[in-house]
Amino acid sequence: MNIYQHFRPEEREYIDQVLNWKDYVETQYTPKLTDFLDPREQHILKILIGEHGQVNYKLFGGSPDVERKRALIFPDYLTATEEEFQISLFEIHYPTKFVTIEHRQVLGTLMSLGLKRGKFGDILNKDDKCQFFAAKEISDYIKTNVETIGRAGVKLIETDIENAIRTNELLVDSDLTVSSLRLDTVISGIYHVSRQKSQLFIQQGLVKVNWTLTENPSFECDVGDMISVRGYGRAKILAIEGKTKKEKWRINVGKQK
């Protein structure tokens, strides 16, 4: 069976990586901890590892309601504890009276350290509080190298993951019927805009799928995809429930409140 046919061509490299992880755990009888994975990568991992084999997996990102999570893949006779996910939580202390720090500034600073996106989990923002999760193996490096974010001088304090801000970013479920799973059609359905307008958003570089700028209106959407349209918020495809009698797709979408 050609496993690749169920996924996108650009996902082949990641699929191979997951299969290598699985093989490593099966042959070495030892757990494998991944970097932080986005929801689409988590979805692929769940499918490839499956639920009832000799290898299990568990996902954890530091807090119950986060999107980005590390996966621990392990032999079925072992169990996984939260400590094994090796996640640090940093709180950013900065002069809140004078400046505000935004999500994109935090991400920009972290990425400028020359580390992969996979080393960082969710960035949490609420009121004047700002935190982020990171892989424990790079926590000392981050502490030594981050002194400013945006224009603000900052101090990073490592704190217990129990202290994570609960952002409670609720996704409101809704069922949609769309004529196809093309990105422009799905955006049109989710945000109640015309197909022409959704194509314009895509052309203007306002659309990201799984945190990646996507300029192809015929991009085929799938379960687990996180779609964001600048100015309109984010939505996640939770399920694709098949076709109606009129050959339209029924999808279940969670949309940011």
Side-chain angles (χ1 to χ4, degrees):
M1 189 185 87
N2 179 6
I3 205 155
Y4 301 109
Q5 71 193 34
H6 303 291
F7 302 100
R8 298 173 183 143
E10 67 271 18
E11 291 169 339
R12 283 185 82 127
E13 195 179 326
Y14 175 67
I15 290 161
D16 289 341
Q17 191 172 38
V18 175
L19 294 173
N20 284 338
W21 292 335
K22 185 181 180 184
D23 184 55
Y24 171 81
V25 173
E26 271 175 346
T27 55
Q28 303 298 314
Y29 308 105
T30 185
K32 167 69 187 166
L33 179 64
T34 74
D35 282 345
F36 287 92
L37 308 174
D38 67 37
R40 175 68 185 166
E41 290 168 330
Q42 294 166 37
H43 173 69
I44 293 171
L45 182 133
K46 286 177 187 176
I47 291 171
L48 294 177
I49 291 185
E51 301 291 338
H52 306 293
Q54 295 176 323
V55 172
N56 284 347
Y57 68 87
K58 194 172 172 186
L59 297 163
F60 182 62
S63 181
D65 45 2
V66 295
E67 281 170 2
R68 297 177 62 80
K69 297 173 184 175
R70 297 188 91 166
L72 189 68
I73 306 163
F74 51 95
D76 60 356
Y77 51 82
L78 295 179
T79 54
T81 63
E82 287 185 358
E83 288 72 41
E84 289 175 83
F85 286 85
Q86 298 289 306
I87 293 173
S88 296
L89 175 65
F90 286 98
E91 196 157 294
I92 302 169
H93 289 210
Y94 64 102
T96 51
K97 276 185 184 171
F98 306 107
V99 284
T100 54
I101 286 181
E102 294 176 7
H103 183 286
R104 61 184 175 80
Q105 293 172 308
V106 178
L107 182 58
T109 300
L110 296 175
M111 295 304 288
S112 72
L113 298 175
L115 296 162
K116 291 190 302 189
R117 179 66 179 101
K119 293 297 176 193
F120 305 104
D122 279 26
I123 296 165
L124 312 173
N125 251 330
K126 195 174 187 184
D127 304 324
D128 285 337
K129 239 179 166 186
C130 192
Q131 301 173 333
F132 63 90
F133 291 106
K136 213 166 220 128
E137 62 266 24
I138 58 158
S139 57
D140 287 342
Y141 181 76
I142 296 170
K143 276 187 274 197
T144 315
N145 287 284
V146 176
E147 291 174 353
T148 57
I149 293 176
R151 292 196 180 144
V154 300
K155 190 171 170 52
L156 295 188
I157 306 292
E158 197 168 352
T159 181
D160 199 285
I161 60 171
E162 313 290 306
N163 300 327
I165 302 166
R166 299 305 294 271
T167 51
N168 296 332
E169 182 184 276
L170 286 173
L171 292 176
V172 182
D173 267 34
S174 60
D175 291 310
L176 298 178
T177 307
V178 289
S179 59
S180 83
L181 296 174
R182 281 173 55 112
L183 181 60
D184 54 359
T185 310
V186 171
I187 286 174
S188 179
I190 293 171
Y191 300 102
H192 310 295
V193 296
S194 69
R195 181 96 174 270
Q196 286 74 16
K197 196 161 187 185
S198 69
Q199 286 175 347
L200 197 61
F201 291 155
I202 295 165
Q203 285 163 14
Q204 291 173 333
L206 303 178
V207 175
K208 286 185 176 181
V209 180
N210 301 327
W211 296 272
T212 304
L213 196 66
T214 306
E215 293 179 334
N216 175 11
S218 62
F219 178 92
E220 193 88 351
C221 296
D222 202 348
V223 175
D225 281 343
M226 181 66 80
I227 298 167
S228 70
V229 179
R230 199 184 307 158
Y232 284 77
R234 301 192 304 169
K236 183 178 180 180
I237 299 181
L238 303 173
I240 295 173
E241 290 159 349
K243 285 188 170 180
T244 66
K245 285 178 184 165
K246 293 184 176 175
E247 288 294 294
K248 292 194 165 187
W249 288 96
R250 286 199 313 273
I251 61 174
N252 181 254
V253 172
K255 194 173 165 190
Q256 245 182 359
K257 258 183 142 175

